[in-house]
Amino acid sequence: MSREYVIYTDESSQTGRYFANFYGGALIRSEDLDYVREVLQGQADRLCLGAEIKWKKVSEAYLDRYLAMMDAFFDLIDGDLVKIRIMFTLADAQPPRTAYHREHRYHLLYYQFFKYAFGLRHCNPDRAELNLRLYVDRLPDAPHKNAVFKAHLLTLQNCREYRAGRICIAQDQVAEVNSHEHLPLQCVDVVLGAMQFRLNESLREGGAPGKKTIAKSQLCEHICARIRRIHPEFMIGETTTRTRDRDWWQHPYRHWLFRPQHKRMTQEGDRSKNDSTPPPLSL
């Protein structure tokens, strides 16, 4: 019997004081999707959050509601009903090598996020057929570039990691979606915004912070406290540590500090258990 996972993804600031190129995603088993939506919608209704939930809307007046909304979301993460991955780069990371890489950097990084961030190569040990649905928040780039990017996402199923896991992606299951219609994606937007805010120390920008900035800082600290309930030694600006390769898949929440060039190991067994990067990548 085949299984199915749904992945919602979003992106945030491509520039920043210290960190840039923020990407985030939520993975949900299809059999849990209706329940996750029901829980999030019920909480949003109770909190009278009728409009779209977004990081940029966090304010002093709505802080308590957003704190409660994030608690509902992280309860689902704690319960292994949602997996969250956040990827970012250093702001001063080595620039792309060629004009092509510079022009398509946004999509190339997004592709790496889909390919590696969830550790999907470890998600299917019994090798039963597994289908993916990829829901991407509206892409900001030119339509022809976005079309090429979505076509490339379909080729993920041909890479070694996906073939080994018998992971399939149907052509009609890669789609741009409106986040207004998808509460899991709205919650990703809040978590992603909070991480970008904290990592780039936005609280310290522009002199004395205003009430809205202080509210965002408080929400960010609350989210970090929920993450530390999962990872007590969580370091926000580092790739989340692991003890086994399959932790890339099994952990409910992970950060990935993407470095465009990784040192290649002479032997596969040379990789330390505490090395928190995936196999070598190129960009």
Side-chain angles (χ1 to χ4, degrees):
M1 181 177 178
S2 63
R3 291 175 293 169
E4 184 178 64
Y5 294 141
V6 180
I7 299 179
Y8 292 96
T9 65
D10 194 9
E11 51 80 30
S12 183
S13 177
Q14 302 304 302
T15 60
R17 186 178 182 185
Y18 304 112
F19 296 90
N21 302 304
F22 284 81
Y23 299 87
L27 182 148
I28 304 168
R29 291 180 289 265
S30 60
E31 62 264 32
D32 297 327
L33 188 56
D34 286 343
Y35 177 74
V36 169
R37 287 170 171 165
E38 180 182 340
V39 168
L40 294 178
Q41 188 63 60
Q43 183 73 322
D45 291 343
R46 283 189 293 273
L47 297 169
C48 298
L49 290 170
E52 186 174 3
I53 299 165
K54 293 183 73 67
W55 170 252
K56 69 180 182 181
K57 293 185 177 181
V58 176
S59 66
E60 181 184 38
Y62 278 81
L63 176 59
D64 288 343
R65 302 185 197 188
Y66 272 80
L67 291 171
M69 193 70 208
M70 286 296 100
D71 276 336
F73 190 50
F74 272 87
D75 286 347
L76 293 168
I77 297 168
D78 287 342
D80 192 34
L81 293 167
V82 179
K83 292 182 186 292
I84 295 294
R85 300 293 184 265
I86 304 293
M87 185 184 91
F88 46 88
T89 70
L90 293 171
D92 60 354
Q94 183 176 347
R97 298 168 300 182
T98 68
Y100 174 85
H101 285 83
R102 289 190 292 273
E103 181 182 359
H104 297 277
R105 180 180 178 83
Y106 168 81
H107 289 127
L108 289 169
L109 286 167
Y110 221 151
Y111 181 88
Q112 298 295 333
F113 178 79
F114 272 109
K115 187 173 182 179
Y116 290 109
F118 284 97
L120 289 168
R121 62 189 184 278
H122 301 294
C123 78
N124 196 18
D126 59 8
R127 293 180 57 79
E129 184 176 320
L130 175 63
N131 298 308
L132 287 186
R133 279 192 272 161
L134 307 181
Y135 290 160
V136 185
D137 195 14
R138 293 292 182 188
L139 295 166
D141 216 325
H144 71 279
K145 289 184 181 179
N146 294 337
V148 171
F149 169 62
K150 286 183 282 186
H152 277 305
L153 289 181
L154 287 171
T155 70
L156 281 169
Q157 60 194 319
N158 300 323
C159 73
R160 181 180 60 186
E161 291 84 359
Y162 279 50
R163 290 201 312 271
R166 293 193 66 196
I167 300 171
C168 302
I169 308 171
Q171 187 167 0
D172 62 350
Q173 296 303 312
V174 178
E176 291 182 69
V177 297
N178 186 340
S179 60
H180 183 78
E181 302 170 357
H182 299 271
L183 270 168
L185 190 53
Q186 294 175 41
C187 290
V188 170
D189 175 90
V190 175
V191 175
L192 191 60
M195 296 303 104
Q196 190 276 335
F197 177 93
R198 177 65 180 82
L199 282 167
N200 284 316
E201 298 186 354
S202 298
L203 180 64
R204 302 182 183 181
E205 293 180 352
K211 292 180 178 180
K212 185 169 185 176
T213 301
I214 292 172
K216 287 187 172 184
S217 178
Q218 291 173 336
L219 178 58
C220 180
E221 292 308 313
H222 184 76
I223 290 172
C224 287
R226 289 301 307 250
I227 298 169
R228 290 190 178 97
R229 284 170 53 172
I230 301 168
H231 298 290
E233 298 181 0
F234 173 70
M235 299 292 289
I236 189 172
E238 300 291 338
T239 300
T240 305
T241 57
R242 64 175 176 80
T243 57
R244 305 165 299 181
D245 279 345
R246 62 180 178 271
D247 286 346
W248 275 89
W249 162 250
Q250 292 184 336
H251 282 171
Y253 186 103
R254 289 189 63 85
H255 277 197
W256 179 16
L257 174 55
F258 179 90
R259 299 180 186 275
Q261 293 181 339
H262 296 299
K263 182 179 179 181
R264 292 183 178 274
M265 302 298 174
T266 56
Q267 295 181 1
E268 185 177 358
D270 287 341
R271 297 187 60 79
S272 164
K273 288 185 178 180
N274 291 321
D275 176 9
S276 54
T277 59
L281 307 177
S282 61
L283 178 67

